[in-house]
Amino acid sequence: MKSPFFRFGLAFGAATLLTACAGHYQHEQEHVHYTPGLGEIMAQSAVRHAKLWFAGQAQNWELAAYEMDELHEGFEDAAKYHRTHKQIKQPIPELIAQNMDLPLAGLEQAIKDKNLQAFTRNYDNLTAGCNACHQATEFGFNRVTHPNFNPFANQAFGTSN
Ligand code: HEC
């Protein structure tokens, strides 16, 4: 014979479970509407930019190509979600096209050709493009350089280590 306490326990448990599910559902809904800020996309792009350098210097062309794809996606998101930003007058998609399209294409070719010299030259062009856009957006105090040490302790950039 089940005690009233047992029944209460069951009902209480089910109610708690339902509430927890509802909370989880709501949480997921919030995710659907989340769009990353331009600063967040940029911070991500800066990581890709650094990883691209180490991949290229290690001549891990597959990894370099992957980091390029990620950079592309970041700029696509920036153009899609941030057509305008703060006091910047020129549309963001236009600024990205002006400053990124050529250097990204140059780097892509260098990676396809597996050419370290061309990679390094085009990487410098890309970095100059990042900085040109920061200048054009009153964000010139934020200077990007190629990384001078590797902060990624948990990733091997070479092809065989
Ligand atoms: C549309 C022009 C544009 C291009 C192209 C661009 N940036 Fe930015 N970047 C900005 C703007 C505007 C901000 C400031 C965003 C904000 O208001 O939070 C920014 C912010 C940043 C920041 C600061 C974010 C932080 O949290 O430290 C970094 C780092 C950065 N960019 C790196 C890069 C790199 C690397 C590239 C090239 C691969 C690049 N950016 C290309 C416009 C650009």
Side-chain angles (χ1 to χ4, degrees):
M1 160 102 196
K2 304 265 186 284
S3 77
F5 284 115
F6 180 82
R7 286 174 205 279
F8 173 76
L10 266 187
F12 182 76
T16 314
L17 204 67
L18 278 175
T19 316
C21 287
H24 184 66
Y25 179 70
Q26 199 178 13
H27 194 63
E28 291 203 332
Q29 289 287 298
E30 279 162 20
H31 272 282
V32 172
H33 295 292
Y34 174 77
T35 50
L38 186 60
E40 286 171 283
I41 296 174
M42 285 292 157
Q44 276 276 10
S45 297
V47 173
R48 307 297 189 195
H49 177 260
K51 290 189 174 190
L52 177 61
W53 173 257
F54 296 116
Q57 294 311 301
Q59 306 202 45
N60 185 344
W61 303 117
E62 263 181 285
L63 181 60
Y66 167 78
E67 298 299 351
M68 282 294 296
D69 281 347
E70 296 296 305
L71 272 179
H72 269 296
E73 280 176 21
F75 287 123
E76 275 163 24
D77 283 352
K80 188 163 127 199
Y81 298 121
H82 303 279
R83 303 196 64 78
T84 58
H85 185 69
K86 295 185 182 162
Q87 76 291 351
I88 301 167
K89 293 188 188 71
Q90 218 179 325
I92 299 293
E94 213 175 279
L95 279 163
I96 291 172
Q98 270 171 19
N99 293 294
M100 293 288 98
D101 282 5
L102 262 180
L104 284 175
L107 257 175
E108 241 148 33
Q109 193 56 51
I111 291 168
K112 266 197 202 119
D113 296 344
K114 306 184 182 199
N115 182 332
L116 178 57
Q117 273 184 339
F119 174 88
T120 302
R121 197 171 53 247
N122 282 285
Y123 188 92
D124 287 342
N125 291 341
L126 175 69
T127 307
C130 306
N131 287 324
C133 200
H134 294 153
Q135 294 277 349
T137 52
E138 293 172 44
F139 210 65
F141 56 86
N142 176 55
R143 276 193 318 114
V144 180
T145 65
H146 71 66
N148 44 29
F149 74 95
N150 185 343
F152 305 107
N154 60 346
Q155 188 168 359
F157 287 90
T159 47
S160 62
N161 53 348

